[in-house]
Amino acid sequence: CAYIESWASIIIGFISGFLYLAGSWLMVRIGVDDAVDAIPIHLFGGIWGSIAVGLFAVPGYLPDSSSAGLFYSNGKLLACQLIGIL
């Protein structure tokens, strides 16, 4: 993502891997037939990616620096991202 620092992308990637594994396990556990694991990759990964931008977005990289990620600002961007997920 163009709006986060390199160190944050490493953290986001590690969490994404664990979410994929947990999502894949959950799909097998509840009996969803997803042969190519599209649900864990796209659904869980997409939700986490949206939340991650709301957490890690750097003010200097955004067109509107007043709505940076929660770790840098007041969390308005995270609120917008969560509303977008719903």
Side-chain angles (χ1 to χ4, degrees), residues 18-45 47:
F18 287 115
L19 285 174
Y20 162 70
L21 292 174
S24 182
W25 175 83
L26 179 65
M27 294 295 107
V28 170
R29 181 92 166 118
I30 63 175
V32 174
D33 184 21
D34 185 10
V36 295
D37 274 350
I39 294 172
I41 287 291
H42 294 98
L43 177 67
F44 300 128
I47 290 172

Side-chain angles (χ1 to χ4, degrees), residues 8-21 48 52 55-56:
S9 67
I10 295 170
I11 294 170
I12 293 167
F14 276 119
I15 294 172
S16 297
F18 287 115
L19 285 174
Y20 162 70
L21 292 174
W48 167 240
L55 294 173
F56 293 104

